[in-house]
Amino acid sequence: MNVVTASQDRRINIHSLKTGKCSRYYKVDSDAGELLKVSLDPAGIFVAISSSDKNIRIFDFYSGNCVAKAFGHSELITGIKFTRDCKRLLTVSGDGCIFIWKLSNDLTKLILERLEEIKPKTSIVDIPKTIQEKSRELPSPIPPQSFSPDEHLPLQELHNALSNAIEQPGSSSSTQNLTG
């Protein structure tokens, strides 16, 4: 098990939870500025980082190669996270804008294939009945909505747009692809 950190000297550090020591690191190109936030995808294949140059970069966790780079925020990115469905990357900036980036089909496919490989081999039949019953009580998740990074939406406008999209399931929205 590993922990991934980003440091001000433009390094992505991989630490072993067992030893607490840095087991390897990757140097990010010198034009990136300071690395600010880091997020590992659910399968542990890609690392997304934000930096002081307001760019987002996605790196292959195992090789350290940059596989995608994107720009769109006008302020520093203060949060970054892959969605559970592995199709999007969420970013939040200091100006209150939230961007929902669509990952390329190739990146999504790799992540989902890896998740399938590491998925526990437990079937619904093996889960105790009480857990099955409780899982039926949970509300279903709301599907994520996409917005182009050209649309800088403050939180209240984003909330209103998402509310309208939820009330009108057929509404369309533009999507910004995040590809290498």
Side-chain angles (χ1 to χ4, degrees):
M1 183 71 74
N2 296 305
V3 173
V4 181
T5 62
S7 60
Q8 292 179 345
D9 60 355
R10 293 185 305 276
R11 288 183 5 173
I12 300 170
N13 302 297
I14 295 97
H15 299 272
S16 167
L17 272 180
K18 189 174 187 176
T19 65
K21 296 183 180 185
C22 184
S23 55
R24 68 182 186 274
Y25 67 89
Y26 303 115
K27 196 83 165 146
V28 177
D29 53 335
S30 60
D31 65 335
E34 293 179 11
L35 305 184
L36 302 173
K37 298 294 177 180
V38 62
S39 179
L40 190 61
D41 77 78
I45 297 176
F46 298 107
V47 176
I49 62 161
S50 67
S51 54
S52 60
D53 66 355
K54 302 173 192 159
N55 281 297
I56 302 158
R57 291 171 179 81
I58 297 180
F59 290 87
D60 180 301
F61 181 76
Y62 296 100
S63 71
N65 294 330
C66 184
V67 298
K69 181 178 175 180
F71 180 82
H73 284 286
S74 61
E75 295 294 327
L76 293 178
I77 297 165
T78 58
I80 189 166
K81 180 85 172 147
F82 286 91
T83 58
R84 282 191 223 160
D85 66 3
C86 307
K87 294 180 180 180
R88 292 175 175 77
L89 182 71
L90 306 175
T91 57
V92 181
S93 68
D95 60 4
C97 291
I98 299 172
F99 287 174
I100 304 172
W101 304 84
K102 182 179 180 203
L103 299 175
S104 72
N105 290 336
D106 292 338
L107 291 179
T108 297
K109 182 180 175 187
L110 287 170
I111 296 169
L112 292 175
E113 286 173 354
R114 178 63 180 142
L115 281 174
E116 191 60 34
E117 288 173 12
I118 62 176
K119 181 175 152 182
K121 304 299 182 207
T122 305
S123 70
I124 191 82
V125 177
D126 299 333
I127 299 172
K129 188 171 179 129
T130 55
I131 294 174
Q132 291 178 28
E133 290 171 0
K134 288 184 185 215
S135 68
R136 286 189 207 118
E137 297 170 8
L138 298 174
S140 60
I142 299 168
Q145 301 294 317
S146 310
F147 294 92
S148 167
D150 295 332
E151 298 176 35
H152 294 266
L153 296 175
L155 284 177
Q156 186 59 45
E157 289 180 41
L158 177 65
H159 172 74
N160 294 341
L162 287 173
S163 296
N164 291 338
I166 292 166
E167 292 170 10
Q168 303 165 2
S171 66
S172 63
S173 59
S174 59
T175 303
Q176 174 69 38
N177 287 329
L178 186 58
T179 57

